[in-house]
């Protein structure tokens, strides 16, 4: 092989390994992406495409989908507006005196 062909092959292999790292990072498996593509090349990249995402990556994606800032005011605004106040409550009768149990 000429040196130019060797250089092109090395650059192609480096691109495949870089793609494997990025696909692995997307799935939360950077090390697996590197190892598979370093040793297996395009076949390793194909295998990596079928590897599922980790639970941590799934949780982070779900967290990013939540609305931020929250759609409710926090902390609550005091004093509450008049329409949100409770109606007056009737007074409870005083508690009955405590009678000790018979001995």
């Amino acid at each position: 092989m000429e040196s130019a062909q060797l250089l092109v092959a090395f650059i192609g292999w480096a691109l495949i390994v870089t793609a494997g790292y990025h696909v692995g990072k997307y799935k939360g498996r950077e090390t697996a992406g590197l190892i598979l593509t370093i040793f297996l090349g395009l076949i390793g990249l194909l295998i990596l495409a079928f590897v599922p995402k980790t639970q941590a990556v799934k949780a982070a994606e779900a967290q990013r989908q939540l609305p931020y800032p929250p759609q409710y005011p926090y902390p609550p605004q005091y004093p509450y507006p008049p329409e949100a106040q409770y109606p007056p409550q009737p007074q409870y009768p005083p508690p009955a005196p405590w009678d000790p149990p018979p001995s």
Side-chain angles (χ1 to χ4, degrees), residues 15 42 51 66 102:
L15 289 174
L42 285 175
V51 173
L66 292 176

Side-chain angles (χ1 to χ4, degrees), residues 19-82:
Y21 171 77
H22 287 290
V23 171
K25 185 176 177 184
Y26 171 75
K27 294 186 175 234
R29 303 177 187 271
E30 296 93 350
T31 307
L34 277 174
I35 291 172
L36 283 172
T37 53
I38 285 172
F39 292 116
L40 300 177
L42 285 175
I43 295 172
L45 193 60
L46 183 64
I47 292 170
L48 186 62
F50 289 101
V51 173
K53 293 179 182 177
T54 61
Q55 289 295 332
V57 170
K58 289 179 184 178
E61 287 177 353
Q63 184 71 28
R64 274 185 252 128
Q65 291 177 355
L66 292 176
Y68 189 81
Q71 297 175 352
Y72 52 87
Y74 189 82
Q77 305 298 317
Y78 291 105
Y80 288 113

